[in-house]
């Protein structure tokens, strides 16, 4: 659940009422999450990008709510979609990411000891193969989160055109784009991205999705752009993807990818 959504509180409450097991929350620091989930059995997991954000959030939850995270996800600068870094800091954060993982793991250990519980640390953003998984496990993480790799699978419910955009993408097609909410994002370069770099696309319907968005001045509607892409209307859609999407060369199955990852891990 994105902190930046206009109905964040309502979404959290609805998830709890539905009996959800865990709420993962990012796109801003989920400072209010413990107060919203208090009294429920739901687990809470923040998404952080830097040691600073991890330290600030965990300290805040500990001091004000007397709780800590049940899991921490570190999303790095190679991720797809919205990135939690300023555009001019992406290269620096990329170079520092492994060190950041180690530092955040150490920070989480403090709260693991204080609250006497295991707090898994999960690395996300650009994780592509078993060698990547092995690297992050060696750095102290407990697991990884992978998204881009599983888009071009038969099980994914995106359109065939969307999946083929990943399969056909070259390294130079993976681009940093400006989002209407002021964050950089990573997507496949296509006519839609080229268009939005030259002129604004007038918004005729507001989905009331993101707090920072002003339909009167925003360059395009991100909800509409993402919906169009998933449906296969790529010339009018934004195709979010991770940095390594260009490495995908075929539409596979989840089982094939999992077997490949396991073999990579055994050989790493």
């Amino acid at each position: 659940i994105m902190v930046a959504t206009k109905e964040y509180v309502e979404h959290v409450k609805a998830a709890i009422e539905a009996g959800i097991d865990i709420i993962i929350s990012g796109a801003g620091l989920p400072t209010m999450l413990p107060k919203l989930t208090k009294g429920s059995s739901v687990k809470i997991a923040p998404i952080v990008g830097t040691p600073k954000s991890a330290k600030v959030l965990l300290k805040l939850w500990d001091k004000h709510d007397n709780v800590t995270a049940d899991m921490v996800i570190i999303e790095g600068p190679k991720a797809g979609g919205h990135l939690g870094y300023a555009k001019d800091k992406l290269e620096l954060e990329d170079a520092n990411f492994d060190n950041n993982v180690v530092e955040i793991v150490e920070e989480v250990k403090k709260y693991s000891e204080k609250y006497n519980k295991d707090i898994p640390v999960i690395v996300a953003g650009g994780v592509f193969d078993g060698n990547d998984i092995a690297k992050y496990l060696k750095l102290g993480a407990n697991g990884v989160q992978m998204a881009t790799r599983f888009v071009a699978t038969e099980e994914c419910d995106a359109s065939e055109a969307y999946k083929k955009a990943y399969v056909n993408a070259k390294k130079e097609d993976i681009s940093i784009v400006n989002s209407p909410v002021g964050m950089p994002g990573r997507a496949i370069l296509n006519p839609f991205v080229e268009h939005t770099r030259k002129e604004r696309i007038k918004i005729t319907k507001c989905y009331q999705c993101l707090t920072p968005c002003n339909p009167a001045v925003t360059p395009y509607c991100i909800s509409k752009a993402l919906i169009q892409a998933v449906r296969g209307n790529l010339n009018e859609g934004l195709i979010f993807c991770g940095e390594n999407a260009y490495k995908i060369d075929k539409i596979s199955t989840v089982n094939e990818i999992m077997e490949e990852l396991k073999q990579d891990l055994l050989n790493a």
Side-chain angles (χ1 to χ4, degrees):
I1 303 178
M2 294 167 62
V3 177
T5 52
K6 285 188 177 178
E7 297 184 353
Y8 179 73
V9 172
E10 289 80 3
H11 290 157
V12 171
K13 288 178 178 176
I16 295 166
E17 286 170 18
I20 211 79
D21 294 307
I22 184 166
I23 293 175
I24 297 168
S25 195
L29 283 182
T31 55
M32 295 292 294
L33 196 54
K35 288 181 175 62
L36 296 172
T37 57
K38 190 176 182 179
S40 75
S41 60
V42 69
K43 306 289 186 188
I44 53 176
I47 300 173
V48 296
T50 62
K52 182 181 178 182
S53 59
K55 286 174 183 175
V56 167
L57 187 69
L58 293 173
K59 185 177 181 180
L60 193 74
W61 283 7
D62 176 46
K63 185 177 178 181
H64 292 287
D65 303 291
N66 198 32
V67 298
T68 194
D70 295 294
M71 178 169 78
V72 173
I73 297 166
I74 310 169
E75 189 172 284
K78 292 182 178 180
H82 287 120
L83 305 170
Y85 309 90
K87 195 172 182 178
D88 60 351
K89 296 280 196 307
L90 285 175
E91 279 190 31
L92 178 64
E93 292 297 344
D94 194 9
N96 290 338
F97 187 62
D98 289 0
N99 291 331
N100 285 351
V101 169
V102 173
E103 204 173 323
I104 293 170
V105 166
E106 288 305 310
E107 187 65 22
V108 171
K109 276 181 185 173
K110 297 176 189 174
Y111 294 93
S112 183
E113 289 167 7
K114 179 173 181 177
Y115 286 87
N116 192 29
K117 70 174 187 177
D118 290 327
I119 306 172
V121 176
I122 310 298
V123 175
V127 183
F128 191 82
D129 57 28
N131 294 316
D132 294 331
I133 298 171
K135 179 178 82 166
Y136 292 123
L137 293 179
K138 285 171 187 170
L139 290 176
N142 303 95
V144 299
Q145 175 180 297
M146 299 173 68
T148 293
R149 188 74 195 273
F150 290 94
V151 170
T153 59
E154 290 174 14
E155 292 89 343
C156 177
D157 63 358
S159 69
E160 283 297 299
Y162 193 100
K163 296 175 191 182
K164 284 177 181 173
Y166 274 43
V167 173
N168 297 330
K170 299 180 181 66
K171 188 173 184 178
E172 57 268 26
D173 296 328
I174 313 299
S175 175
I176 298 298
V177 300
N178 291 322
S179 163
V181 297
M183 303 174 187
R186 182 172 281 108
I188 294 175
L189 204 56
N190 70 341
F192 176 82
V193 172
E194 298 281 12
H195 184 172
T196 56
R197 284 177 174 174
K198 294 172 187 170
E199 61 180 302
R200 178 175 177 265
I201 297 175
K202 188 178 178 182
I203 293 168
T204 54
K205 176 189 174 182
C206 180
Y207 289 84
Q208 297 292 321
C209 56
L210 300 174
T211 304
C213 182
N214 178 358
V217 296
T218 192
Y220 60 90
C221 173
I222 193 158
S223 282
K224 183 180 178 182
L226 293 173
I227 291 166
Q228 293 283 14
V230 170
R231 286 177 177 169
N233 188 6
L234 303 189
N235 287 340
E236 294 180 39
L238 183 61
I239 313 167
F240 272 159
C241 68
E243 186 177 271
N244 290 317
Y246 70 93
K247 293 180 180 179
I248 296 170
D249 58 6
K250 64 178 180 179
I251 294 176
S252 187
T253 66
V254 171
N255 185 60
E256 285 170 357
I257 292 173
M258 293 302 293
E259 288 302 318
E260 185 184 318
L261 292 174
K262 282 196 281 185
Q263 283 304 311
D264 285 350
L265 257 177
L266 287 171
N267 298 328

